[in-house]
Amino acid sequence: MTTGMVLGKFMPPHNGHVYLVEFARHFANRLTVVVGSLRREPIPGVLRYHWMRELFPFDNVVHLTDELPQEPAEHPDFWALWREALERVLPGRPDYVFASEAYGTKLAEVLGGQFVPVDPARAVVPCSGTAVRTDPMANWDHLPRCVRPYFVRRVCVFGPESTGKTTLARRLAEHFGTVCVPEYARTLIELRGGQVAAADMPIIARGQVASEEALARDARRVLICDTDARTTCIWSEALFRHCPAELRSLAGGHCYDLYLLLDVDVLWVADVARYLPEDRRDFFDRCEAELRAGGQPYVVVRGDWDQRFEQARRAVKQVLARPGP
């Protein structure tokens, strides 16, 4: 029975890391993956640890949170400190230490194992954590599915009833080759024949958030959302003159890179899930006030259907062109 170890920051995990760990788990009989993190690092260590646990549920994934020096020049006892910390979290001395970096030779010697290099030239998977953090959009295909929601750009189509939100959201998703998060309120309201109660508002908001988080894993660079929990807050106040604290908490916990606020300069079309044909302008003003109060980035979209699409397309393209995460 042979044992192995992979040590890394996995900031974030990418397909190069997946290849490294898959190689190691097929080389050794039992594998321990150590996720090392420091408090000052840009991606929370506990998040990286949970990502790696999801990616490798059948291996021993542990989280090393000691504030250790990162280079031998930083501390005279660098290797002794690392040996002590690793021996504390490892189940035993590893027979093999797997790494793509040169430090693996010394680390294996310190731990009493044998170094096995894995793709040090990055020829198998040409990617690095630094490259992903610098430009996640350009490296999207190297991101595992569970990591993508962290980096995806989120765009919310927002505003009053019968302004073409659903049509625009679907058209944008098709244009950018990604997924569209549907309006959960419509799912629930249509099932109930158009009836909605105050007690439904938290369910609608939670359903919207749950759908968004589920579909964020399938998005390609941008996730187009047909409304959000903030919309449910506005509807709760408009219909029932009250917004529960739970709704505000859900709305405040979700951030978007851009809101597309649709104006009311199109004809009203009635259906079972629409309620305020005479109050669309007031509702638009409420929506804009909500975005301004929350400091949310938004653009107002006006005109006929093609004009709306072109304005929205340009705005989303600008969001995708922004550098960094």
Side-chain angles (χ1 to χ4, degrees):
M1 179 71 68
T2 58
T3 60
M5 183 198 77
V6 171
L7 168 67
K9 290 181 177 294
F10 309 105
M11 192 165 64
H14 53 72
N15 285 347
H17 294 131
V18 172
Y19 173 67
L20 169 64
V21 176
E22 291 285 0
F23 180 104
R25 67 196 305 266
H26 285 90
F27 192 105
N29 300 116
R30 297 180 62 185
L31 181 68
T32 295
V33 179
V34 181
V35 181
S37 69
L38 302 173
R39 287 189 297 270
R40 66 176 183 266
E41 290 168 340
I43 303 177
V46 67
L47 180 59
R48 289 178 265 150
Y49 166 65
H50 285 301
W51 280 335
M52 293 301 288
R53 284 192 63 186
E54 180 173 343
L55 287 168
F56 303 104
F58 302 111
D59 296 303
N60 180 34
V61 180
V62 298
H63 190 191
L64 179 62
T65 60
D66 297 34
E67 293 290 309
L68 293 165
Q70 302 299 290
E71 300 290 341
E74 293 180 20
H75 198 286
D77 297 322
F78 176 86
W79 289 110
L81 291 171
W82 273 96
R83 181 181 65 244
E84 180 183 349
L86 288 169
E87 287 178 346
R88 192 176 67 251
V89 298
L90 289 170
R93 180 187 66 81
D95 297 307
Y96 304 106
V97 172
F98 303 90
S100 300
E101 306 284 352
Y103 71 77
T105 302
K106 180 64 177 180
L107 182 61
E109 177 187 328
V110 166
L111 294 175
Q114 181 177 347
F115 175 49
V116 180
V118 183
D119 194 26
R122 304 295 196 276
V124 177
V125 184
C127 186
S128 70
T130 300
V132 171
R133 294 193 305 275
T134 300
D135 193 349
M137 301 297 106
N139 292 279
W140 195 260
D141 290 338
H142 290 306
L143 291 177
R145 190 168 176 264
C146 64
V147 178
R148 291 180 175 185
Y150 182 84
F151 290 100
V152 72
R153 305 284 166 84
R154 300 184 188 227
V155 173
C156 180
V157 183
F158 194 69
E161 302 171 288
S162 193
T163 53
K165 296 189 299 296
T166 297
T167 299
L168 179 60
R170 290 173 178 171
R171 192 173 174 185
L172 286 171
E174 181 179 1
H175 176 80
F176 287 101
T178 188
V179 295
C180 173
V181 181
E183 181 185 15
Y184 185 74
R186 178 170 289 276
T187 300
L188 189 66
I189 292 169
E190 288 181 346
L191 185 66
R192 296 182 178 178
Q195 300 299 310
V196 63
D200 294 326
M201 294 293 106
I203 299 298
I204 289 171
R206 291 178 69 87
Q208 191 67 41
V209 171
S211 180
E212 181 177 328
E213 290 310 307
L215 289 172
R217 294 179 167 224
D218 296 321
R220 289 194 59 79
R221 299 179 176 86
V222 62
L223 180 67
I224 307 297
C225 304
D226 181 2
T227 200
D228 72 339
R230 185 171 269 103
T231 306
T232 313
C233 292
I234 300 172
W235 271 109
S236 184
E237 291 172 346
L239 294 177
F240 307 109
R241 303 293 186 267
H242 174 65
C243 180
E246 180 184 358
L247 288 190
R248 282 291 170 196
S249 178
L250 284 168
H254 262 61
C255 297
Y256 297 84
D257 297 278
L258 177 68
Y259 278 88
L260 298 170
L261 175 57
L262 273 58
D263 206 347
V264 296
D265 55 337
V266 289
L267 292 176
W268 168 273
V269 178
D271 75 17
V272 71
R274 292 174 179 164
Y275 300 94
L276 305 174
E278 305 301 325
D279 295 328
R280 285 196 299 164
R281 174 54 60 188
D282 177 69
F283 199 95
F284 174 90
D285 293 339
R286 289 190 186 205
C287 289
E288 189 164 31
E290 181 78 18
L291 295 177
R292 286 179 173 174
Q296 303 301 314
Y298 75 97
V299 296
V300 177
V301 177
R302 298 183 171 95
D304 63 29
W305 305 128
D306 287 337
Q307 289 171 333
R308 286 172 183 245
F309 172 73
E310 184 57 27
Q311 292 168 42
R313 184 196 66 79
R314 288 198 304 265
V316 174
K317 187 177 179 180
Q318 289 176 356
V319 168
L320 287 171
R322 295 173 190 165

